[in-house]
Amino acid sequence: MTFTLAIVGRPNVGKSTLFNRLVGKRLALVDNQPGVTRDLREGEARLGEMRFTVIDTAGLEDATDDSLEGRMRRLTERAVEMADACLFLIDARAGVLPTDEIFADILRKKNAHVILAANKAEGKAGEAGMIEAWGLGLGEPIALSAEHGEGMGDLAAALAPVA
Ligand code: GDP
Ligand code: MG
């Protein structure tokens, strides 16, 4: 049995960095070609012994401010509907921002199976953000560093019940 995991969260938290690490190919860069617009990217992820489909929600980074919220909401809802579980990323260094709360609400309303992770948690700079993450009411946050590959064992453990 395989499953589909959607990586969701506001721009710049590290979704594509994690996607690239899980998929092992720089698929995300493909969409940076001029004229290519694809808001959801799919790849085959490997994490330890696990194999699953992963979806990266992109296409928010270049949205203008007035279109951002609607676009973000539609895109995230689509990803949630396609997925068995959602990995909700926040930035441990930035802490919980109002935009993160909007994502948390979308996920709650959709009744998604949510795994919360605070990315950029390498070193001490992410410690306060980890504590703030509890305040989202989505359970225990996983400390991740997509860039440095830290926390991948904890991520695998959190995904085991989904698999
Ligand atoms: P996205 O907009 O959510 O897809 O975020 P990106 O994957 O494009 O990453 C946004 C920025 O955060 C980039 O400059 C990344 O290099 C950086 N980043 C991603 N993961 C980490 C991490 O684990 N630690 C740190 N310090 N920076 C990271
Ligand atoms: Mg991205």
Side-chain angles (χ1 to χ4, degrees):
M1 249 302 276
T2 186
F3 65 96
T4 299
L5 178 74
I7 306 175
V8 300
R10 65 176 178 81
N12 211 39
V13 294
K15 297 181 300 296
S16 297
T17 305
L18 180 63
F19 177 91
N20 288 340
R21 176 170 288 280
L22 291 171
V23 171
K25 282 182 257 170
R26 303 222 155 253
L27 285 185
L29 293 179
V30 173
D31 289 346
N32 290 343
Q33 289 168 7
V36 177
T37 310
R38 215 182 315 147
D39 290 338
L40 296 174
R41 276 184 281 265
E42 238 182 63
E44 286 311 308
R46 296 177 48 160
L47 181 60
E49 299 294 298
M50 262 185 240
R51 303 286 181 274
F52 53 93
T53 302
V54 63
I55 299 170
D56 181 17
T57 48
L60 301 172
E61 287 75 0
D62 57 349
T64 59
D65 283 344
D66 53 45
S67 74
L68 183 62
E69 192 176 332
R71 227 171 127 179
M72 186 172 92
R73 186 171 285 279
R74 284 191 298 277
L75 199 57
T76 302
E77 286 174 350
R78 249 171 69 206
V80 170
E81 283 158 15
M82 289 166 70
D84 299 298
C86 297
L87 182 65
F88 176 30
L89 285 195
I90 67 152
D91 179 334
R93 291 169 184 241
V96 174
L97 304 187
T99 320
D100 297 313
E101 303 275 8
I102 294 174
F103 277 95
D105 285 343
I106 295 171
L107 295 170
R108 264 192 287 266
K109 285 193 180 119
K110 279 270 163 193
N111 251 320
H113 180 129
V114 180
I115 296 156
L116 174 63
N119 189 40
K120 312 192 188 181
E122 76 275 4
K124 291 215 175 287
E127 285 175 5
M130 277 297 294
I131 292 164
E132 269 187 51
W134 279 97
L136 286 164
L138 292 167
E140 182 177 1
I142 301 170
L144 283 187
S145 174
E147 201 156 87
H148 300 275
E150 295 173 15
M152 296 299 139
D154 291 340
L155 177 58
L159 288 174
V162 183

